[in-house]
Structure formats: C-alpha cells, structure tokens
Amino acid sequence: QVQLVESGGGLVQAGGSLRLACAASGRTFSTYTMDWFRQAPGKEREFVAAITWGGGGTIYADSVKGRFTISRDNVKMTVYLQMTRLKPEDTAVYYCATAGRQYGGVELDAERMDYWGKGTLVTVSS
C-alpha cells in the first residue's frame, strides 16, 4: 500500500511560482514511477508530468513543458513539482499518483494509476 499526501498549493499571481510536494509512505516508493495530474473545474483530469523510479527520466505535458519541473528525493520519499511562469489556465487541483508497479515504466494514463493523493488546489490569478 502507498499513501500519498500533497502540499504546497495556494493562490499566486500570474507569472509567479509554486512548489508542490507529495510525501509518500511505503518502503517501495523508490521503485515506483511517480506522476502529477491536475483537474480544472469542469474539465477532465489531465496528465502533467512523470518521473521514473530512479529520477533519471522525466516527461511533461506540452502545456507545461519548459515551465514545470518534476523531481524526487527517494530518501525523503517525496516527489516535487516546481511550477514557474504560472498562468491562469494552470488553476486546478493537482494530484500526485502512481501505478504502484515496482521498476515499472512511465505511465501517462490516469486510468492506470492505482494510488492517488487527495490533491492540493493551485489558483493563479490574472
């Protein structure tokens, strides 16, 4: 079992930055690829970024590429999402998730995630 708890959301002006964190429990965290998704009001949940279990590989949605950076600290069992040059359209609840498969490949499909946090709200004002 893996438990995920997000933090770091809040209200920020357009052009600003925020860093989200996702704290995980479970001794196998370091073997799991980790993802960030987001869901804006009235929209479907969408993929934002993913990082491989070792941290050497990352993938981003086109909408955030060049502005967001995903990273992880396997000792602290935490995944981060550094968000810069935020836009109003980045406003959403941000979720940390994992498919929970040891040494698995990167997954971008929300339907393949087995574990989710409860989310943290990011609001970007114009």
Side-chain angles (χ1 to χ4, degrees):
Q1 281 285 354
V2 179
Q3 291 186 326
L4 304 171
V5 179
E6 302 94 338
S7 62
L11 174 63
V12 63
Q13 288 188 332
S17 300
L18 278 177
R19 188 176 82 153
L20 306 183
C22 171
S25 64
R27 289 188 289 180
T28 51
F29 168 80
S30 63
T31 68
Y32 295 156
T33 293
M34 298 297 298
D35 290 56
W36 284 97
F37 289 83
R38 67 186 181 185
Q39 187 166 19
K43 295 188 176 181
E44 292 189 354
R45 196 168 295 190
E46 65 173 358
F47 169 77
V48 175
I51 187 166
T52 56
W53 54 269
T58 55
I59 293 178
Y60 298 92
D62 287 344
S63 58
V64 307
K65 202 172 293 183
R67 300 188 299 121
F68 290 11
T69 303
I70 188 172
S71 61
R72 68 189 297 161
D73 184 330
N74 283 342
V75 173
K76 294 183 178 179
M77 292 176 37
T78 301
V79 178
Y80 303 97
L81 186 68
Q82 178 68 51
M83 305 185 294
T84 64
R85 291 184 283 143
L86 283 160
K87 305 175 181 179
E89 51 263 44
D90 294 319
T91 294
V93 177
Y94 284 72
Y95 297 91
C96 176
T98 181
R101 284 181 275 283
Q102 288 188 273
Y103 305 111
V106 172
E107 301 279 0
L108 310 185
D109 186 348
E111 295 296 323
R112 295 183 64 82
M113 300 295 114
D114 284 343
Y115 301 98
W116 292 87
K118 293 184 177 180
T120 186
L121 176 62
V122 172
T123 303
V124 184
S125 63
S126 57

